[in-house]
Amino acid sequence: NQLSVNTVTALERKWSPALEPYFSKRTVLDTLTNSEKEWLNQHQTISVGIDDHLPPYELLNENGDYVGIAPDYLNFASEKLGIRFSPRTDLTWLEAFEELKRGGVDMMSAAIVTEERKSEMSFTEPYIEMATAIVIHRDAEYVGDMNDLNGKTLGLVEGDFVNFVMNDYPEIIIEIVSSEVE
């Protein structure tokens, strides 16, 4: 399915009502240079590294379809650019990131900008901003900031944030989990 700009803007308002929709002022993509057009002509299918367990941003639904905010943007870009995006559902996000570094994946979706990642890849202008949250059991002790987790176990997906916690909060016990949902 191809989405119109109005549909994308409506989805943005639904998923992020407090933010100004990215495409609200953009009815047409900026004009491409000749070299960009030539590159797109030579690359009709772009492989995309994804995180298949990151709702509402991106996930594989019960039918195995790639759905969420990121694929909605990719569908919009596909329509405007006349190319196809092919999500790599056979890799974890970290495996896809390693493939990107080796040239086996063309791009990543829903990637958070970090200094380490900026040295490995180029980033577009963010289409959405999200805060990081600490999620605890309802009956657990209140956590006001990261220091309240000293001596406690924190579940994290392998990646840049693990290094951040290990370096800046060495008293937090880290347990690696396979997905954000876990």
Side-chain angles (χ1 to χ4, degrees), residues 15 54-59 67-72 128:
W15 290 108
L54 191 61
Y57 306 103
E58 60 184 0
L59 65 143
V67 297
I69 297 169
D72 287 346
I128 192 168

Side-chain angles (χ1 to χ4, degrees), residues 8 25 75 102 106 112 125 135 153 155 177:
V8 171
K25 297 177 189 145
N75 289 336
R102 288 191 286 275
D106 298 315
I112 297 170
E125 179 183 330
V135 180
T153 302
V177 296

Side-chain angles (χ1 to χ4, degrees), residues 11-24:
L11 286 169
E12 289 177 310
R13 286 193 172 103
K14 174 183 175 186
W15 290 108
S16 301
L19 300 176
E20 175 71 19
Y22 182 80
F23 290 106
S24 64

Side-chain angles (χ1 to χ4, degrees), residues 64-112:
D65 300 321
Y66 179 47
V67 297
I69 297 169
D72 287 346
Y73 279 106
L74 292 176
N75 289 336
F76 174 80
S78 177
E79 175 186 325
K80 293 297 181 187
L81 298 173
I83 60 173
R84 182 176 167 269
F85 291 97
S86 176
R88 289 287 306 270
T89 59
D90 60 324
L91 304 171
T92 66
W93 195 92
L94 279 177
E95 291 169 341
F97 184 60
E98 290 303 316
E99 281 294 304
L100 176 79
K101 292 182 203 178
R102 288 191 286 275
V105 168
D106 298 315
M107 64 174 279
M108 301 293 295
S109 64
I112 297 170

Side-chain angles (χ1 to χ4, degrees), residues 132-136 143 145-158 161-166 169-177 180 182:
T132 300
I134 299 170
V135 180
I136 60 175
V143 175
D145 63 29
M146 292 292 287
N147 291 312
D148 291 341
L149 295 174
N150 288 340
K152 295 183 172 57
T153 302
L154 177 63
L156 293 173
V157 176
E158 185 67 52
F161 201 67
V162 171
N163 295 331
F164 165 74
V165 173
M166 285 174 39
Y169 301 94
E171 295 177 34
I172 295 176
I173 302 160
I174 297 172
E175 182 175 330
I176 301 299
V177 296
E180 298 285 341
E182 184 184 342

Side-chain angles (χ1 to χ4, degrees), residues 108-125:
M108 301 293 295
S109 64
I112 297 170
V113 179
T114 66
E115 290 305 315
E116 180 182 347
R117 289 179 186 165
K118 285 199 301 193
S119 70
E120 300 287 343
M121 64 173 104
S122 299
F123 285 86
T124 64
E125 179 183 330

